[in-house]
Amino acid sequence: HALALGYDEGTVMLKLGKEEPVISMDQSGKLIWARHNEIFTANVRAAAESGATIPDGERLPLSTKDLGNCEVYPQSLQHSSNGRVVVVCGDGEFIIYTAIAWRNKSFGQGLDFAWSPSGNYAVREGSGKIKIFSNFKESKSFKPSGTPENLFGGVLLAVKCSSFIVFYDWEQGRVVRRIDVVPKGIYWSDQGEFLAIATENSFFILKYNKDVVDAAFESGAQIEEDG
């Protein structure tokens, strides 16, 4: 994945693509990954429970199955929380497929994608608009205060901008909290009470109190820009 160019004054080395594979795994251990436009699947749990003794560091003997092809060149894959559907993002589009039969369920324009625990999802468009979908139909759209760069799913929808991140509720796209950090990843606990924000050099553990947030929204009080 490297290209060397030579010219009169020297040479230039260009790195192509990225090192991370385009892959996703659901909670049951089912893997789905892309190799160019081809999609494959395997089950890690089945291999681990086969009864064979596998030394640490050795490859798992996975049985690979060809699921089919994808209409776009995949740049990311994400299972929904229940593992029944998978979204593929690439070429400025997203396509949602069923995880078992690999059938097209929904599609649209989008540069980035995030799932909610209930199966709703959000899409970032090239214009900077964020669209929230419920039951595969658009239910809400808004433009963040800054230019959005990435989306993170979870109990709250997180929108990363150049120097901060903003958390929104999934129902109406209301601001819950703005935090002046630039995360590389956001990870929620299974119960949705805690989340970890991982940055380039550190991480933060935060507690989310849903009851307090709901009470603030129900009171009708003016929500400040920082939440």
Side-chain angles (χ1 to χ4, degrees):
H1 300 291
L3 175 65
L5 304 176
Y7 62 109
D8 292 343
E9 298 181 4
T11 59
V12 177
M13 177 75 77
L14 301 178
K15 183 179 179 181
L16 305 178
K18 60 181 183 179
E19 296 179 355
E20 298 85 2
V22 180
I23 190 169
S24 179
M25 183 173 71
D26 66 9
Q27 294 183 351
S28 69
K30 181 180 179 181
L31 291 169
I32 294 181
W33 71 92
R35 185 185 300 155
H36 306 297
N37 286 78
E38 297 177 295
I39 308 298
F40 301 90
T41 183
N43 196 313
V44 174
R45 178 173 293 179
E49 295 176 350
S50 63
T53 301
I54 304 173
D56 289 345
E58 293 295 319
R59 288 187 176 185
L60 288 174
L62 299 179
S63 177
T64 302
K65 176 184 176 184
D66 187 350
L67 271 183
N69 295 317
C70 182
E71 287 88 341
V72 299
Y73 192 87
Q75 294 172 317
S76 67
L77 276 167
Q78 291 185 58
H79 277 90
S80 64
S81 58
N82 60 19
R84 295 176 182 173
V85 293
V86 181
V87 64
V88 179
C89 290
D91 301 333
E93 301 180 15
F94 73 91
I95 305 176
I96 299 176
Y97 293 93
T98 57
I100 297 177
W102 201 250
R103 294 193 180 97
N104 189 323
K105 193 170 182 66
S106 185
F107 62 92
Q109 300 292 318
L111 300 176
D112 203 3
F113 190 102
W115 289 108
S116 80
S118 64
N120 296 339
Y121 57 89
V123 175
R124 175 174 65 93
E125 295 188 334
S127 63
K129 180 181 290 186
I130 308 298
K131 291 185 176 180
I132 298 176
F133 292 78
S134 178
N135 294 322
F136 301 98
K137 296 180 181 179
E138 183 180 339
S139 60
K140 182 72 178 179
S141 66
F142 62 92
K143 271 199 169 184
S145 57
T147 302
E149 297 180 354
N150 289 104
L151 300 182
F152 297 95
V155 175
L156 298 174
L157 169 62
V159 179
K160 172 190 170 185
C161 297
S162 59
S163 59
F164 60 89
I165 189 164
V166 183
F167 292 90
Y168 299 86
D169 77 314
W170 283 98
E171 288 71 24
Q172 299 185 38
R174 296 168 293 191
V175 175
V176 175
R177 175 63 68 188
R178 167 178 161 160
I179 302 176
D180 292 330
V181 297
V182 182
K184 294 184 69 68
I186 294 179
Y187 310 95
W188 288 85
S189 64
D190 292 340
Q191 292 75 28
E193 185 179 4
F194 297 95
L195 70 150
I197 300 178
T199 66
E200 186 71 38
N201 300 310
S202 59
F203 67 92
F204 306 89
I205 305 295
L206 306 179
K207 183 176 182 180
Y208 172 59
N209 193 323
K210 185 177 184 301
D211 293 336
V212 172
V213 173
D214 290 344
F217 286 147
E218 291 173 1
S219 69
Q222 182 68 30
I223 303 299
E224 299 179 2
E225 183 180 342
D226 289 346

